[in-house]
Amino acid sequence: MLERRRIRSELTKWRRQMAIQWFPGHMHLTRKAISERVKNIDVVIEVLDARLPGSSANPMLAELTAGKPVLKVLNKQDLADPECTGLWLAHYNSLSGTRALALDASVAAPAKVLVQACRALAPSRSGMVKPMRVLICGIPNVGKSTLINTLTARKAAKTGDEAGITKLEQRISLADDFYLFDTPGILWPRIIVAESGYKLAASGAIGRNAFNEEEVALELLAYLKTQYATLLQDRFKLDAVANLSDEELLEAIGRKRGALQGGKRVNLQKAAEIVIYDFRAGALGRITLETPQEFAQWLMVGRKLDAQRQVRKDAIELDRRIRFKKLPKPP
Ligand code: G4P
């Protein structure tokens, strides 16, 4: 009985993992452009989504910019839970070579705070002989273009998300001795933290054709009903959401919002779209989907599962090579 339940739960997890997929075809070009540019960079600004700072950090970028001072900008703070934003800022500010600040599109002059924070990270760079060279990066939809538009106080040409179609990089001058190099928003090839996939999809970072809305809404509700039950209850006029299963909750929301089909049946797809839309628009209230501690825990599990996956993959490859007689059988 227990074994059957375990298998069923594994299967559900696996099915849910399969719900998030994408194929970043332009990744190699952008990766190459960033690794070239980073050689002559003094500080990296990483724009993150304040609602999911850990999940919206691109691990590929961390690898490419390793060793460079980093300014983490927790953008869209107006949508995030202020208490959690405080935890994330404290977490990043405790790391060496890292500073963090929170911003949102309503901040009229973000240039001043960004310039100051970058100068603190690389104090030896100033003046025309040694100008500050900063690379600004971020995954799609974190608000990087909006921020750059505000910084440049004009509609700066958006650096395309699709490298090779629009130019890969643009240089913006924030002061005579301060250059900002913009890069296209890219995701990384494979998300090893299962929870991150859902949070990224819920936030709008992943294109809608690459995920299953119902699965994403269920995962989102699972988190919200434990951490932000009151916000859910108030928004959808429901009682005691913590007592409902994720599926019952989605159905109850669909019913309340009139997402029905064929008379009385709830249209779960429509209900899922409502949940995701309300979350993205901030209509539920200020919400953060992860704390530094939670993310660290998920990352640890994700890395362990990824290592196990790699062992299985290597074993399959070895077996294949032996079968096709490319390698002798082990004694
Ligand atoms: P990107 O370059 O990182 O891909 O993101 P972009 O600036 O295009 O912003 C993505 C969406 O996030 C936009 O909304 C933008 O208005 C919104 N946004 C950016 N910064 C903030 C912020 O600090 N707070 C809030 N609440 N929203 C922000 P959109 O609906 O996709 O487009 P739009 O119709 O608003 O332009």
Side-chain angles (χ1 to χ4, degrees), residues 4-21 191-195 197-198 215-216 218-219 246-247 298 301-302 305 308:
R4 259 174 56 198
R5 204 177 286 163
R6 191 187 63 77
I7 292 171
R8 201 178 315 141
S9 130
E10 284 296 314
L11 262 175
T12 311
K13 241 191 256 163
W14 179 79
R15 265 193 225 111
R16 288 189 168 182
Q17 275 178 12
M18 298 304 288
I20 311 282
Q21 291 179 18
I191 291 179
I192 63 164
V193 179
E195 288 83 356
Y198 288 99
E215 297 287 359
V216 169
L218 287 171
E219 288 290 326
D246 308 340
E247 288 77 7
W298 298 334
V301 173
L305 288 174
Q308 288 166 358

PDB file of all heavy atoms in Angstrom, residues 4-21 191-195 197-198 215-216 218-219 246-247 298 301-302 305 308:
ATOM      1  N   ARG A   4       2.719   1.605  -3.192  1.00  0.00           N
ATOM      2  CA  ARG A   4       1.879   2.137  -4.287  1.00  0.00           C
ATOM      3  C   ARG A   4       1.720   3.644  -4.168  1.00  0.00           C
ATOM      4  O   ARG A   4       1.770   4.389  -5.126  1.00  0.00           O
ATOM      5  CB  ARG A   4       0.510   1.459  -4.267  1.00  0.00           C
ATOM      6  CG  ARG A   4       0.473   0.382  -5.356  1.00  0.00           C
ATOM      7  CD  ARG A   4      -0.758  -0.426  -5.327  1.00  0.00           C
ATOM      8  NE  ARG A   4      -1.987   0.345  -5.416  1.00  0.00           N
ATOM      9  CZ  ARG A   4      -3.160  -0.161  -5.065  1.00  0.00           C
ATOM     10  NH1 ARG A   4      -3.246  -1.377  -4.627  1.00  0.00           N
ATOM     11  NH2 ARG A   4      -4.240   0.559  -5.180  1.00  0.00           N
ATOM     12  N   ARG A   5       1.567   4.081  -2.891  1.00  0.00           N
ATOM     13  CA  ARG A   5       1.397   5.526  -2.674  1.00  0.00           C
ATOM     14  C   ARG A   5       2.678   6.267  -3.068  1.00  0.00           C
ATOM     15  O   ARG A   5       2.662   7.324  -3.655  1.00  0.00           O
ATOM     16  CB  ARG A   5       1.082   5.783  -1.200  1.00  0.00           C
ATOM     17  CG  ARG A   5       0.347   7.093  -1.033  1.00  0.00           C
ATOM     18  CD  ARG A   5      -0.051   7.349   0.387  1.00  0.00           C
ATOM     19  NE  ARG A   5      -1.168   6.542   0.837  1.00  0.00           N
ATOM     20  CZ  ARG A   5      -1.462   6.376   2.120  1.00  0.00           C
ATOM     21  NH1 ARG A   5      -0.724   6.903   3.056  1.00  0.00           N
ATOM     22  NH2 ARG A   5      -2.496   5.654   2.469  1.00  0.00           N
ATOM     23  N   ARG A   6       3.834   5.631  -2.730  1.00  0.00           N
ATOM     24  CA  ARG A   6       5.109   6.275  -3.053  1.00  0.00           C
ATOM     25  C   ARG A   6       5.260   6.395  -4.580  1.00  0.00           C
ATOM     26  O   ARG A   6       5.625   7.439  -5.108  1.00  0.00           O
ATOM     27  CB  ARG A   6       6.279   5.453  -2.487  1.00  0.00           C
ATOM     28  CG  ARG A   6       7.616   6.190  -2.537  1.00  0.00           C
ATOM     29  CD  ARG A   6       8.753   5.285  -2.143  1.00  0.00           C
ATOM     30  NE  ARG A   6       8.905   4.163  -3.069  1.00  0.00           N
ATOM     31  CZ  ARG A   6       9.454   4.250  -4.272  1.00  0.00           C
ATOM     32  NH1 ARG A   6       9.905   5.394  -4.697  1.00  0.00           N
ATOM     33  NH2 ARG A   6       9.546   3.191  -5.065  1.00  0.00           N
ATOM     34  N   ILE A   7       4.917   5.297  -5.302  1.00  0.00           N
ATOM     35  CA  ILE A   7       5.051   5.307  -6.765  1.00  0.00           C
ATOM     36  C   ILE A   7       4.133   6.370  -7.356  1.00  0.00           C
ATOM     37  O   ILE A   7       4.516   7.126  -8.238  1.00  0.00           O
ATOM     38  CB  ILE A   7       4.754   3.907  -7.353  1.00  0.00           C
ATOM     39  CG1 ILE A   7       5.870   2.937  -6.930  1.00  0.00           C
ATOM     40  CG2 ILE A   7       4.617   3.958  -8.872  1.00  0.00           C
ATOM     41  CD1 ILE A   7       5.615   1.506  -7.257  1.00  0.00           C
ATOM     42  N   ARG A   8       2.883   6.428  -6.815  1.00  0.00           N
ATOM     43  CA  ARG A   8       1.937   7.409  -7.346  1.00  0.00           C
ATOM     44  C   ARG A   8       2.468   8.832  -7.133  1.00  0.00           C
ATOM     45  O   ARG A   8       2.400   9.672  -8.006  1.00  0.00           O
ATOM     46  CB  ARG A   8       0.571   7.250  -6.680  1.00  0.00           C
ATOM     47  CG  ARG A   8      -0.504   7.880  -7.562  1.00  0.00           C
ATOM     48  CD  ARG A   8      -1.907   7.734  -7.033  1.00  0.00           C
ATOM     49  NE  ARG A   8      -2.256   6.425  -6.547  1.00  0.00           N
ATOM     50  CZ  ARG A   8      -3.003   6.228  -5.456  1.00  0.00           C
ATOM     51  NH1 ARG A   8      -3.466   7.214  -4.770  1.00  0.00           N
ATOM     52  NH2 ARG A   8      -3.309   5.009  -5.075  1.00  0.00           N
ATOM     53  N   SER A   9       3.057   9.050  -5.946  1.00  0.00           N
ATOM     54  CA  SER A   9       3.564  10.406  -5.669  1.00  0.00           C
ATOM     55  C   SER A   9       4.765  10.733  -6.562  1.00  0.00           C
ATOM     56  O   SER A   9       4.916  11.845  -7.031  1.00  0.00           O
ATOM     57  CB  SER A   9       3.890  10.510  -4.180  1.00  0.00           C
ATOM     58  OG  SER A   9       5.159  11.017  -3.960  1.00  0.00           O
ATOM     59  N   GLU A  10       5.619   9.713  -6.814  1.00  0.00           N
ATOM     60  CA  GLU A  10       6.760   9.924  -7.733  1.00  0.00           C
ATOM     61  C   GLU A  10       6.259  10.287  -9.124  1.00  0.00           C
ATOM     62  O   GLU A  10       6.770  11.170  -9.794  1.00  0.00           O
ATOM     63  CB  GLU A  10       7.603   8.639  -7.847  1.00  0.00           C
ATOM     64  CG  GLU A  10       8.486   8.387  -6.634  1.00  0.00           C
ATOM     65  CD  GLU A  10       9.545   9.470  -6.463  1.00  0.00           C
ATOM     66  OE1 GLU A  10      10.189   9.819  -7.451  1.00  0.00           O
ATOM     67  OE2 GLU A  10       9.690   9.989  -5.343  1.00  0.00           O
ATOM     68  N   LEU A  11       5.209   9.528  -9.551  1.00  0.00           N
ATOM     69  CA  LEU A  11       4.652   9.758 -10.893  1.00  0.00           C
ATOM     70  C   LEU A  11       4.084  11.171 -11.018  1.00  0.00           C
ATOM     71  O   LEU A  11       4.294  11.856 -12.012  1.00  0.00           O
ATOM     72  CB  LEU A  11       3.525   8.764 -11.166  1.00  0.00           C
ATOM     73  CG  LEU A  11       3.925   7.535 -11.971  1.00  0.00           C
ATOM     74  CD1 LEU A  11       2.744   6.578 -12.061  1.00  0.00           C
ATOM     75  CD2 LEU A  11       4.382   7.926 -13.372  1.00  0.00           C
ATOM     76  N   THR A  12       3.361  11.590  -9.963  1.00  0.00           N
ATOM     77  CA  THR A  12       2.782  12.942  -9.988  1.00  0.00           C
ATOM     78  C   THR A  12       3.889  13.972 -10.095  1.00  0.00           C
ATOM     79  O   THR A  12       3.823  14.903 -10.880  1.00  0.00           O
ATOM     80  CB  THR A  12       1.970  13.207  -8.697  1.00  0.00           C
ATOM     81  OG1 THR A  12       1.118  12.108  -8.518  1.00  0.00           O
ATOM     82  CG2 THR A  12       1.184  14.478  -8.768  1.00  0.00           C
ATOM     83  N   LYS A  13       4.976  13.767  -9.289  1.00  0.00           N
ATOM     84  CA  LYS A  13       6.097  14.707  -9.311  1.00  0.00           C
ATOM     85  C   LYS A  13       6.694  14.755 -10.708  1.00  0.00           C
ATOM     86  O   LYS A  13       6.979  15.804 -11.252  1.00  0.00           O
ATOM     87  CB  LYS A  13       7.166  14.235  -8.316  1.00  0.00           C
ATOM     88  CG  LYS A  13       7.422  15.253  -7.231  1.00  0.00           C
ATOM     89  CD  LYS A  13       8.632  14.903  -6.436  1.00  0.00           C
ATOM     90  CE  LYS A  13       8.288  14.334  -5.084  1.00  0.00           C
ATOM     91  NZ  LYS A  13       9.365  13.627  -4.433  1.00  0.00           N
ATOM     92  N   TRP A  14       6.874  13.572 -11.300  1.00  0.00           N
ATOM     93  CA  TRP A  14       7.490  13.487 -12.620  1.00  0.00           C
ATOM     94  C   TRP A  14       6.622  14.196 -13.659  1.00  0.00           C
ATOM     95  O   TRP A  14       7.104  14.976 -14.451  1.00  0.00           O
ATOM     96  CB  TRP A  14       7.691  12.012 -12.991  1.00  0.00           C
ATOM     97  CG  TRP A  14       8.288  11.828 -14.343  1.00  0.00           C
ATOM     98  CD1 TRP A  14       9.604  11.954 -14.673  1.00  0.00           C
ATOM     99  CD2 TRP A  14       7.598  11.515 -15.550  1.00  0.00           C
ATOM    100  NE1 TRP A  14       9.778  11.743 -16.009  1.00  0.00           N
ATOM    101  CE2 TRP A  14       8.567  11.461 -16.583  1.00  0.00           C
ATOM    102  CE3 TRP A  14       6.266  11.264 -15.886  1.00  0.00           C
ATOM    103  CZ2 TRP A  14       8.230  11.180 -17.896  1.00  0.00           C
ATOM    104  CZ3 TRP A  14       5.945  10.983 -17.181  1.00  0.00           C
ATOM    105  CH2 TRP A  14       6.921  10.943 -18.165  1.00  0.00           C
ATOM    106  N   ARG A  15       5.284  13.920 -13.579  1.00  0.00           N
ATOM    107  CA  ARG A  15       4.370  14.561 -14.544  1.00  0.00           C
ATOM    108  C   ARG A  15       4.454  16.072 -14.399  1.00  0.00           C
ATOM    109  O   ARG A  15       4.471  16.807 -15.349  1.00  0.00           O
ATOM    110  CB  ARG A  15       2.935  14.107 -14.298  1.00  0.00           C
ATOM    111  CG  ARG A  15       2.591  12.948 -15.195  1.00  0.00           C
ATOM    112  CD  ARG A  15       1.102  12.694 -15.188  1.00  0.00           C
ATOM    113  NE  ARG A  15       0.876  11.287 -15.054  1.00  0.00           N
ATOM    114  CZ  ARG A  15       0.357  10.694 -13.988  1.00  0.00           C
ATOM    115  NH1 ARG A  15      -0.018  11.396 -12.960  1.00  0.00           N
ATOM    116  NH2 ARG A  15       0.211   9.408 -13.951  1.00  0.00           N
ATOM    117  N   ARG A  16       4.495  16.535 -13.137  1.00  0.00           N
ATOM    118  CA  ARG A  16       4.560  17.979 -12.916  1.00  0.00           C
ATOM    119  C   ARG A  16       5.866  18.547 -13.431  1.00  0.00           C
ATOM    120  O   ARG A  16       5.907  19.643 -13.961  1.00  0.00           O
ATOM    121  CB  ARG A  16       4.373  18.301 -11.430  1.00  0.00           C
ATOM    122  CG  ARG A  16       2.929  18.074 -11.010  1.00  0.00           C
ATOM    123  CD  ARG A  16       2.660  18.571  -9.627  1.00  0.00           C
ATOM    124  NE  ARG A  16       1.218  18.595  -9.388  1.00  0.00           N
ATOM    125  CZ  ARG A  16       0.681  19.023  -8.260  1.00  0.00           C
ATOM    126  NH1 ARG A  16       1.405  19.459  -7.288  1.00  0.00           N
ATOM    127  NH2 ARG A  16      -0.638  19.018  -8.119  1.00  0.00           N
ATOM    128  N   GLN A  17       6.961  17.770 -13.291  1.00  0.00           N
ATOM    129  CA  GLN A  17       8.240  18.266 -13.822  1.00  0.00           C
ATOM    130  C   GLN A  17       8.181  18.415 -15.330  1.00  0.00           C
ATOM    131  O   GLN A  17       8.767  19.313 -15.899  1.00  0.00           O
ATOM    132  CB  GLN A  17       9.379  17.305 -13.468  1.00  0.00           C
ATOM    133  CG  GLN A  17       9.941  17.598 -12.087  1.00  0.00           C
ATOM    134  CD  GLN A  17      11.023  16.627 -11.693  1.00  0.00           C
ATOM    135  OE1 GLN A  17      11.508  15.869 -12.508  1.00  0.00           O
ATOM    136  NE2 GLN A  17      11.384  16.649 -10.432  1.00  0.00           N
ATOM    137  N   MET A  18       7.436  17.526 -15.972  1.00  0.00           N
ATOM    138  CA  MET A  18       7.350  17.549 -17.425  1.00  0.00           C
ATOM    139  C   MET A  18       6.528  18.721 -17.943  1.00  0.00           C
ATOM    140  O   MET A  18       6.498  19.000 -19.123  1.00  0.00           O
ATOM    141  CB  MET A  18       6.720  16.246 -17.960  1.00  0.00           C
ATOM    142  CG  MET A  18       7.516  15.004 -17.653  1.00  0.00           C
ATOM    143  SD  MET A  18       9.198  15.106 -18.268  1.00  0.00           S
ATOM    144  CE  MET A  18       8.911  14.955 -20.010  1.00  0.00           C
ATOM    145  N   ALA A  19       5.818  19.381 -17.009  1.00  0.00           N
ATOM    146  CA  ALA A  19       4.937  20.464 -17.462  1.00  0.00           C
ATOM    147  C   ALA A  19       5.702  21.700 -17.903  1.00  0.00           C
ATOM    148  O   ALA A  19       5.174  22.553 -18.564  1.00  0.00           O
ATOM    149  CB  ALA A  19       3.965  20.833 -16.347  1.00  0.00           C
ATOM    150  N   ILE A  20       6.973  21.838 -17.486  1.00  0.00           N
ATOM    151  CA  ILE A  20       7.751  23.022 -17.827  1.00  0.00           C
ATOM    152  C   ILE A  20       8.838  22.636 -18.817  1.00  0.00           C
ATOM    153  O   ILE A  20       9.727  21.868 -18.486  1.00  0.00           O
ATOM    154  CB  ILE A  20       8.451  23.601 -16.577  1.00  0.00           C
ATOM    155  CG1 ILE A  20       7.487  23.754 -15.423  1.00  0.00           C
ATOM    156  CG2 ILE A  20       9.182  24.892 -16.899  1.00  0.00           C
ATOM    157  CD1 ILE A  20       6.589  24.932 -15.478  1.00  0.00           C
ATOM    158  N   GLN A  21       8.754  23.138 -20.017  1.00  0.00           N
ATOM    159  CA  GLN A  21       9.787  22.835 -21.015  1.00  0.00           C
ATOM    160  C   GLN A  21       9.979  24.002 -21.952  1.00  0.00           C
ATOM    161  O   GLN A  21       9.023  24.674 -22.309  1.00  0.00           O
ATOM    162  CB  GLN A  21       9.359  21.640 -21.868  1.00  0.00           C
ATOM    163  CG  GLN A  21       9.332  20.355 -21.122  1.00  0.00           C
ATOM    164  CD  GLN A  21       8.893  19.215 -21.997  1.00  0.00           C
ATOM    165  OE1 GLN A  21       8.915  19.308 -23.219  1.00  0.00           O
ATOM    166  NE2 GLN A  21       8.466  18.154 -21.379  1.00  0.00           N
ATOM    167  N   ILE A 191      16.255  23.520 -15.808  1.00  0.00           N
ATOM    168  CA  ILE A 191      16.039  23.958 -14.428  1.00  0.00           C
ATOM    169  C   ILE A 191      16.099  22.738 -13.521  1.00  0.00           C
ATOM    170  O   ILE A 191      15.300  21.815 -13.677  1.00  0.00           O
ATOM    171  CB  ILE A 191      14.672  24.656 -14.311  1.00  0.00           C
ATOM    172  CG1 ILE A 191      14.736  25.981 -15.075  1.00  0.00           C
ATOM    173  CG2 ILE A 191      14.300  24.901 -12.863  1.00  0.00           C
ATOM    174  CD1 ILE A 191      13.458  26.759 -15.061  1.00  0.00           C
ATOM    175  N   ILE A 192      17.063  22.735 -12.604  1.00  0.00           N
ATOM    176  CA  ILE A 192      17.173  21.541 -11.749  1.00  0.00           C
ATOM    177  C   ILE A 192      16.336  21.662 -10.475  1.00  0.00           C
ATOM    178  O   ILE A 192      16.074  20.674  -9.822  1.00  0.00           O
ATOM    179  CB  ILE A 192      18.644  21.192 -11.411  1.00  0.00           C
ATOM    180  CG1 ILE A 192      19.302  22.300 -10.599  1.00  0.00           C
ATOM    181  CG2 ILE A 192      19.442  20.864 -12.658  1.00  0.00           C
ATOM    182  CD1 ILE A 192      20.583  21.842  -9.921  1.00  0.00           C
ATOM    183  N   VAL A 193      15.920  22.887 -10.141  1.00  0.00           N
ATOM    184  CA  VAL A 193      15.051  23.045  -8.963  1.00  0.00           C
ATOM    185  C   VAL A 193      13.607  23.033  -9.467  1.00  0.00           C
ATOM    186  O   VAL A 193      13.161  23.998 -10.105  1.00  0.00           O
ATOM    187  CB  VAL A 193      15.361  24.373  -8.222  1.00  0.00           C
ATOM    188  CG1 VAL A 193      14.453  24.561  -7.029  1.00  0.00           C
ATOM    189  CG2 VAL A 193      16.822  24.425  -7.796  1.00  0.00           C
ATOM    190  N   ALA A 194      12.899  21.928  -9.188  1.00  0.00           N
ATOM    191  CA  ALA A 194      11.543  21.774  -9.723  1.00  0.00           C
ATOM    192  C   ALA A 194      10.657  22.951  -9.335  1.00  0.00           C
ATOM    193  O   ALA A 194       9.905  23.481 -10.157  1.00  0.00           O
ATOM    194  CB  ALA A 194      10.946  20.466  -9.219  1.00  0.00           C
ATOM    195  N   GLU A 195      10.763  23.403  -8.086  1.00  0.00           N
ATOM    196  CA  GLU A 195       9.914  24.508  -7.612  1.00  0.00           C
ATOM    197  C   GLU A 195      10.151  25.770  -8.440  1.00  0.00           C
ATOM    198  O   GLU A 195       9.229  26.544  -8.689  1.00  0.00           O
ATOM    199  CB  GLU A 195      10.207  24.828  -6.140  1.00  0.00           C
ATOM    200  CG  GLU A 195       9.720  23.800  -5.148  1.00  0.00           C
ATOM    201  CD  GLU A 195      10.693  22.638  -4.986  1.00  0.00           C
ATOM    202  OE1 GLU A 195      11.717  22.604  -5.720  1.00  0.00           O
ATOM    203  OE2 GLU A 195      10.431  21.768  -4.143  1.00  0.00           O
ATOM    204  N   GLY A 197      10.841  26.123 -11.608  1.00  0.00           N
ATOM    205  CA  GLY A 197      10.150  26.077 -12.894  1.00  0.00           C
ATOM    206  C   GLY A 197       8.745  26.648 -12.773  1.00  0.00           C
ATOM    207  O   GLY A 197       8.309  27.463 -13.590  1.00  0.00           O
ATOM    208  N   TYR A 198       8.053  26.251 -11.702  1.00  0.00           N
ATOM    209  CA  TYR A 198       6.678  26.728 -11.522  1.00  0.00           C
ATOM    210  C   TYR A 198       6.632  28.211 -11.185  1.00  0.00           C
ATOM    211  O   TYR A 198       5.776  28.946 -11.662  1.00  0.00           O
ATOM    212  CB  TYR A 198       5.986  25.903 -10.427  1.00  0.00           C
ATOM    213  CG  TYR A 198       5.728  24.550 -10.968  1.00  0.00           C
ATOM    214  CD1 TYR A 198       6.559  23.498 -10.683  1.00  0.00           C
ATOM    215  CD2 TYR A 198       4.699  24.361 -11.881  1.00  0.00           C
ATOM    216  CE1 TYR A 198       6.370  22.273 -11.251  1.00  0.00           C
ATOM    217  CE2 TYR A 198       4.496  23.139 -12.458  1.00  0.00           C
ATOM    218  CZ  TYR A 198       5.331  22.095 -12.147  1.00  0.00           C
ATOM    219  OH  TYR A 198       5.146  20.894 -12.735  1.00  0.00           O
ATOM    220  N   GLU A 215      -1.204  23.020 -14.127  1.00  0.00           N
ATOM    221  CA  GLU A 215      -0.171  22.520 -13.207  1.00  0.00           C
ATOM    222  C   GLU A 215       0.489  23.676 -12.462  1.00  0.00           C
ATOM    223  O   GLU A 215       0.758  23.604 -11.268  1.00  0.00           O
ATOM    224  CB  GLU A 215       0.913  21.746 -13.976  1.00  0.00           C
ATOM    225  CG  GLU A 215       0.423  20.503 -14.684  1.00  0.00           C
ATOM    226  CD  GLU A 215       0.103  19.367 -13.726  1.00  0.00           C
ATOM    227  OE1 GLU A 215       0.283  19.539 -12.516  1.00  0.00           O
ATOM    228  OE2 GLU A 215      -0.354  18.314 -14.199  1.00  0.00           O
ATOM    229  N   VAL A 216       0.751  24.761 -13.196  1.00  0.00           N
ATOM    230  CA  VAL A 216       1.416  25.920 -12.582  1.00  0.00           C
ATOM    231  C   VAL A 216       0.496  26.553 -11.529  1.00  0.00           C
ATOM    232  O   VAL A 216       0.930  26.872 -10.418  1.00  0.00           O
ATOM    233  CB  VAL A 216       1.839  26.946 -13.661  1.00  0.00           C
ATOM    234  CG1 VAL A 216       2.279  28.259 -13.029  1.00  0.00           C
ATOM    235  CG2 VAL A 216       2.964  26.371 -14.514  1.00  0.00           C
ATOM    236  N   LEU A 218      -1.835  25.082  -9.827  1.00  0.00           N
ATOM    237  CA  LEU A 218      -1.936  24.183  -8.664  1.00  0.00           C
ATOM    238  C   LEU A 218      -0.727  24.330  -7.749  1.00  0.00           C
ATOM    239  O   LEU A 218      -0.861  24.391  -6.529  1.00  0.00           O
ATOM    240  CB  LEU A 218      -2.076  22.718  -9.130  1.00  0.00           C
ATOM    241  CG  LEU A 218      -3.440  22.346  -9.731  1.00  0.00           C
ATOM    242  CD1 LEU A 218      -3.403  20.951 -10.352  1.00  0.00           C
ATOM    243  CD2 LEU A 218      -4.530  22.411  -8.660  1.00  0.00           C
ATOM    244  N   GLU A 219       0.457  24.400  -8.346  1.00  0.00           N
ATOM    245  CA  GLU A 219       1.677  24.584  -7.545  1.00  0.00           C
ATOM    246  C   GLU A 219       1.657  25.929  -6.835  1.00  0.00           C
ATOM    247  O   GLU A 219       2.044  26.047  -5.681  1.00  0.00           O
ATOM    248  CB  GLU A 219       2.919  24.501  -8.440  1.00  0.00           C
ATOM    249  CG  GLU A 219       3.231  23.113  -8.942  1.00  0.00           C
ATOM    250  CD  GLU A 219       3.718  22.174  -7.835  1.00  0.00           C
ATOM    251  OE1 GLU A 219       4.392  22.637  -6.907  1.00  0.00           O
ATOM    252  OE2 GLU A 219       3.412  20.976  -7.921  1.00  0.00           O
ATOM    253  N   ASP A 246      -5.266  21.237  -3.272  1.00  0.00           N
ATOM    254  CA  ASP A 246      -4.950  22.229  -4.316  1.00  0.00           C
ATOM    255  C   ASP A 246      -6.027  22.208  -5.402  1.00  0.00           C
ATOM    256  O   ASP A 246      -6.476  23.244  -5.889  1.00  0.00           O
ATOM    257  CB  ASP A 246      -3.583  21.933  -4.965  1.00  0.00           C
ATOM    258  CG  ASP A 246      -2.491  21.781  -3.930  1.00  0.00           C
ATOM    259  OD1 ASP A 246      -2.702  22.267  -2.802  1.00  0.00           O
ATOM    260  OD2 ASP A 246      -1.451  21.174  -4.253  1.00  0.00           O
ATOM    261  N   GLU A 247      -6.442  20.976  -5.760  1.00  0.00           N
ATOM    262  CA  GLU A 247      -7.435  20.812  -6.828  1.00  0.00           C
ATOM    263  C   GLU A 247      -8.781  21.402  -6.412  1.00  0.00           C
ATOM    264  O   GLU A 247      -9.448  22.076  -7.198  1.00  0.00           O
ATOM    265  CB  GLU A 247      -7.603  19.321  -7.188  1.00  0.00           C
ATOM    266  CG  GLU A 247      -6.434  18.705  -7.934  1.00  0.00           C
ATOM    267  CD  GLU A 247      -5.225  18.377  -7.038  1.00  0.00           C
ATOM    268  OE1 GLU A 247      -5.348  18.508  -5.791  1.00  0.00           O
ATOM    269  OE2 GLU A 247      -4.168  18.020  -7.583  1.00  0.00           O
ATOM    270  N   TRP A 298      15.550  23.775  -1.476  1.00  0.00           N
ATOM    271  CA  TRP A 298      15.139  23.233  -2.780  1.00  0.00           C
ATOM    272  C   TRP A 298      16.345  23.015  -3.687  1.00  0.00           C
ATOM    273  O   TRP A 298      16.413  22.042  -4.426  1.00  0.00           O
ATOM    274  CB  TRP A 298      14.176  24.187  -3.487  1.00  0.00           C
ATOM    275  CG  TRP A 298      12.895  24.424  -2.764  1.00  0.00           C
ATOM    276  CD1 TRP A 298      12.280  23.573  -1.875  1.00  0.00           C
ATOM    277  CD2 TRP A 298      12.070  25.594  -2.828  1.00  0.00           C
ATOM    278  NE1 TRP A 298      11.138  24.139  -1.404  1.00  0.00           N
ATOM    279  CE2 TRP A 298      10.979  25.376  -1.960  1.00  0.00           C
ATOM    280  CE3 TRP A 298      12.150  26.795  -3.526  1.00  0.00           C
ATOM    281  CZ2 TRP A 298       9.958  26.301  -1.785  1.00  0.00           C
ATOM    282  CZ3 TRP A 298      11.135  27.731  -3.354  1.00  0.00           C
ATOM    283  CH2 TRP A 298      10.058  27.492  -2.490  1.00  0.00           C
ATOM    284  N   VAL A 301      18.184  19.814  -2.720  1.00  0.00           N
ATOM    285  CA  VAL A 301      17.478  18.626  -3.213  1.00  0.00           C
ATOM    286  C   VAL A 301      17.631  18.523  -4.733  1.00  0.00           C
ATOM    287  O   VAL A 301      17.906  17.454  -5.280  1.00  0.00           O
ATOM    288  CB  VAL A 301      15.972  18.686  -2.819  1.00  0.00           C
ATOM    289  CG1 VAL A 301      15.191  17.555  -3.451  1.00  0.00           C
ATOM    290  CG2 VAL A 301      15.813  18.688  -1.314  1.00  0.00           C
ATOM    291  N   GLY A 302      17.471  19.676  -5.427  1.00  0.00           N
ATOM    292  CA  GLY A 302      17.569  19.691  -6.893  1.00  0.00           C
ATOM    293  C   GLY A 302      18.935  19.211  -7.364  1.00  0.00           C
ATOM    294  O   GLY A 302      19.035  18.426  -8.304  1.00  0.00           O
ATOM    295  N   LEU A 305      19.214  15.392  -6.850  1.00  0.00           N
ATOM    296  CA  LEU A 305      18.459  14.651  -7.873  1.00  0.00           C
ATOM    297  C   LEU A 305      19.170  14.747  -9.224  1.00  0.00           C
ATOM    298  O   LEU A 305      19.209  13.784  -9.986  1.00  0.00           O
ATOM    299  CB  LEU A 305      17.035  15.216  -8.008  1.00  0.00           C
ATOM    300  CG  LEU A 305      16.093  14.914  -6.851  1.00  0.00           C
ATOM    301  CD1 LEU A 305      14.773  15.648  -7.043  1.00  0.00           C
ATOM    302  CD2 LEU A 305      15.846  13.411  -6.747  1.00  0.00           C
ATOM    303  N   GLN A 308      22.001  12.348  -9.308  1.00  0.00           N
ATOM    304  CA  GLN A 308      21.510  10.979  -9.497  1.00  0.00           C
ATOM    305  C   GLN A 308      21.115  10.757 -10.958  1.00  0.00           C
ATOM    306  O   GLN A 308      21.378   9.714 -11.550  1.00  0.00           O
ATOM    307  CB  GLN A 308      20.296  10.712  -8.598  1.00  0.00           C
ATOM    308  CG  GLN A 308      20.672  10.591  -7.138  1.00  0.00           C
ATOM    309  CD  GLN A 308      19.465  10.663  -6.215  1.00  0.00           C
ATOM    310  OE1 GLN A 308      18.330  10.835  -6.664  1.00  0.00           O
ATOM    311  NE2 GLN A 308      19.707  10.555  -4.923  1.00  0.00           N
TER     312      GLN A 308
END
